[in-house]
Amino acid sequence: MKYIEKLQYITHDIPQLTHIEQVQLACEAGAKWIQYRCLSKSDEALLNDIHTIAEICDDWGTTLIVTSHIHLNGKADIQGFHIEDMDADFVALRKLVGNDITLGGSAHTIENMIRLAKEGADYIGLGPFATTNTKPNEFALLGIEGYASLMPQLESLNINIPILAVGGIKIYDVEALMQAGIYGVAISEAIHSADDFIEAYQDFYDAVKFNGT
């Protein structure tokens, strides 16, 4: 099983910080897992970002995951991809990138999670937990009750795959989420919109570490 970090920071298009600046701050805060999520740029601009971000991540020993742009595999120092398309064929994607590349997928239901686990995903981002401004969607919010319901179902099927809660998570949600049985959390807005980015990241890290197993 591949190493999967329990606290993942996801970059976004935001006015106050570039993706590169977000990565620099996250790494300075101690981040060991960055998901570069940019759906607004050309391949050339994406690669310009990714090359710089990869150097920062390499300096700090941080894993770099790229959202969705799997066609960029091999063109930069990318350790993995997170695929948001819940209908994506992970068997085909695994054949495309090989076994060394980390593949994560998004899920909303138990059926989504079962399929991802069977098709070879390395981890699952399950959500949305709550309303989020960084990735608006029409999925029903899971809330604590959703995770508390879904995690035992997964366990009863003997499916063992890291599940990360995602979507509008605040620092005060972490304890209950971890108690619901999730592996970790993926955070964006609660960190990049904080008064102190580094302090916010470290607060989340402490919360995950304290409440984790």
Side-chain angles (χ1 to χ4, degrees), residues 141-190:
L141 304 180
L142 293 176
I144 297 296
E145 298 79 8
Y147 292 90
S149 170
L150 289 168
M151 296 309 296
Q153 293 180 55
L154 208 61
E155 185 176 354
S156 70
L157 295 168
N158 293 317
I159 295 176
N160 182 24
I161 184 171
I163 306 295
L164 290 103
V166 63
I169 298 166
K170 309 296 185 188
I171 189 71
Y172 49 77
D173 299 314
V174 173
E175 180 178 0
L177 281 167
M178 300 300 286
Q179 289 177 353
I182 64 160
Y183 177 84
V185 296
I187 308 294
S188 186
E189 185 177 12

Side-chain angles (χ1 to χ4, degrees), residues 16-26 56 197:
Q16 68 270 33
L17 292 168
T18 67
H19 290 267
I20 293 170
E21 289 169 337
Q22 292 172 64
V23 171
Q24 182 67 47
L25 286 168
I56 297 170
F197 186 113

Side-chain angles (χ1 to χ4, degrees), residues 16-17 188-201:
Q16 68 270 33
L17 292 168
S188 186
E189 185 177 12
I191 293 175
H192 70 61
S193 65
D195 292 336
D196 188 318
F197 186 113
I198 291 178
E199 182 180 357
Y201 179 91

Side-chain angles (χ1 to χ4, degrees), residues 8-99:
Q8 303 182 4
Y9 178 73
I10 306 175
T11 73
H12 277 275
D13 290 334
I14 53 175
Q16 68 270 33
L17 292 168
T18 67
H19 290 267
I20 293 170
E21 289 169 337
Q22 292 172 64
V23 171
Q24 182 67 47
L25 286 168
C27 287
E28 288 177 11
K32 293 304 176 188
W33 189 286
I34 297 290
Q35 184 186 144
Y36 170 73
R37 185 181 189 273
C38 182
L39 308 178
S40 62
K41 297 184 179 183
S42 66
D43 283 359
E44 181 180 2
L46 288 169
L47 284 170
N48 285 338
D49 267 7
I50 292 169
H51 286 311
T52 300
I53 288 169
E55 290 181 3
I56 297 170
C57 288
D58 186 57
D59 287 343
W60 290 90
T62 302
T63 296
L64 173 58
I65 304 295
V66 171
T67 303
S68 295
H69 301 293
I70 203 162
H71 62 286
L72 299 180
N73 184 46
K75 297 182 179 180
D77 186 13
I78 300 167
Q79 283 79 60
F81 296 88
H82 183 89
I83 308 301
E84 294 185 338
D85 179 2
M86 295 185 191
D87 296 319
D89 183 345
F90 269 67
V91 173
L93 292 177
R94 177 59 71 195
K95 289 180 180 178
L96 179 67
V97 302
N99 291 326

